[in-house]
Amino acid sequence: MRTLRTHPAAPPLGSLAAGLAGAAYLWGTNPHQAGQWLPRCPFNAVTGLLCPACGGTRMTYDLMHGDFVAAFHDNALLLTLGIPAAAYFGGRWLVEGLRGRRYRPKLGKVGTTVVLGTAVVWAVVRNLVG
């Protein structure tokens, strides 16, 4: 017998609720201004370099406030590839969960190589270009 906690829809619905709570907090917290209580990228804190996801919080804030140009400037790759991929996989996860099925996507070796390769190239380019 399935309980609410063991239902396949519980993890995606919980993630959606957490994301909405985070978005509600971010709505009124401008990450472009110093002194905001927001987490810092651990990779950037240690190395001073930009990781492939650096700028994601600022990008999200700008998108929520309708500033698409600033969002693109904050992290172009995450905006053009990451958000559509997250929407697709998150949507599939939610739909399959609501249908009572578990969703476990598999990238395989080629997919993993493409994702990691793209992330590494993006990190190098954005740190060289500045």
Side-chain angles (χ1 to χ4, degrees):
M1 180 163 107
R2 284 191 176 152
T3 65
L4 184 58
R5 288 185 345 173
T6 61
H7 193 279
L13 287 172
S15 296
L16 181 62
L20 290 173
Y25 174 75
L26 184 60
W27 177 263
T29 307
N30 187 346
H32 295 285
Q33 295 176 347
Q36 302 295 332
W37 191 81
L38 292 165
R40 182 169 178 205
C41 171
F43 181 80
N44 180 266
V46 171
T47 66
L49 299 172
L50 299 173
C51 81
C54 276
T57 303
R58 293 186 310 272
M59 179 196 72
T60 303
Y61 176 86
D62 291 336
L63 282 177
M64 289 192 310
H65 289 83
D67 192 347
F68 296 101
V69 173
F72 187 84
H73 181 265
D74 291 331
N75 194 322
L77 186 76
L78 194 58
L79 178 64
T80 58
L81 296 180
I83 289 180
Y88 171 76
F89 287 112
R92 277 286 304 276
W93 187 31
L94 179 60
V95 168
E96 293 299 323
L98 292 173
R99 290 180 177 165
R101 299 188 295 243
R102 301 211 182 273
Y103 179 62
R104 292 187 177 95
K106 293 184 176 31
L107 284 177
K109 290 181 181 179
V110 173
T112 301
T113 302
V114 169
V115 170
L116 291 177
T118 302
V120 168
V121 168
W122 176 239
V124 169
V125 167
R126 69 190 311 214
N127 282 291
L128 289 177
V129 174

